[in-house]
Amino acid sequence: MPQKKRSSLLIKLPIMLIVGYFGLVFGVRVAMPEAEVGLVSGSLRDCPPSPNCVSSLAPEFDQEHRVAPLAPAADLDGLETVLQEQFNAEIVASESNYMHAVFTTRFMFFKDDVELYLPAPGGPVHIRSASRLGYSDLGANRARVEALRAATGS
């Protein structure tokens, strides 16, 4: 390869990588899929087979997805305050027994959904935390649930 072509490639390659990276970041940000959330037959949805979701309603044998529910509560008001103030989450739905919050990651702007479900006042608060994109979340959803548990003293 002639010297001029080689030096031209060495200049263009980093530029192409940088442009490709920003195209991926902002392209993914615009093309974010809608969340599959909400109560189904009076319960939180099941986690998909991928390891990017945790739920307190996952079966006992499914330790990859299972987390313990949060401490019993009379209502979800206190949890809403904690989510907004300590975690900067956007509350997109709030009812007497159900709440949906969206967390946006700082670096890649991915959106993760957290759902809280209180079947009966004074009972445990069931939780589901799931990534919208990707296969693995590298433990981010489980860590989020445990941080919420610690913040609420559950």
Side-chain angles (χ1 to χ4, degrees):
M1 182 181 279
Q3 182 64 25
K4 189 168 189 162
K5 276 191 169 187
R6 188 176 301 154
S7 64
S8 174
L9 182 62
L10 290 174
I11 292 171
K12 289 180 182 176
L13 186 62
I15 292 170
M16 290 174 10
L17 290 173
I18 291 169
V19 168
Y21 171 77
F22 282 104
L24 175 66
V25 170
F26 293 108
V28 168
R29 187 174 180 193
V30 171
M32 195 67 63
E34 288 300 311
E36 291 189 18
V37 297
L39 298 176
V40 176
S41 301
S43 185
L44 296 173
R45 293 175 185 266
D46 292 337
C47 282
S50 57
N52 63 355
C53 174
V54 294
S55 173
S56 61
L57 293 173
E60 290 278 338
F61 64 83
D62 186 4
Q63 292 302 307
E64 181 177 42
H65 295 111
R66 180 133 175 101
V67 291
L70 300 180
D75 57 41
L76 298 177
D77 291 343
L79 289 168
E80 182 173 355
T81 302
V82 170
L83 285 171
Q84 288 176 319
E85 291 178 359
Q86 292 188 23
F87 293 93
N88 199 27
E90 176 189 359
I91 308 298
V92 294
S94 183
E95 301 168 17
S96 61
N97 69 337
Y98 173 80
M99 186 183 314
H100 173 211
V102 175
F103 287 73
T104 303
T105 62
R106 293 179 194 192
F107 181 63
M108 296 289 282
F109 306 105
F110 292 137
K111 294 191 182 294
D112 295 340
D113 297 287
V114 172
E115 297 176 278
L116 302 170
Y117 174 52
L118 182 63
V125 177
H126 290 285
I127 187 165
R128 180 180 186 269
S129 183
S131 301
R132 291 186 190 178
L133 283 178
Y135 180 75
S136 176
D137 65 355
L138 303 174
N141 286 298
R142 184 173 300 277
R144 180 180 296 117
V145 169
E146 295 310 319
L148 181 58
R149 184 184 317 284
T152 59
S154 295

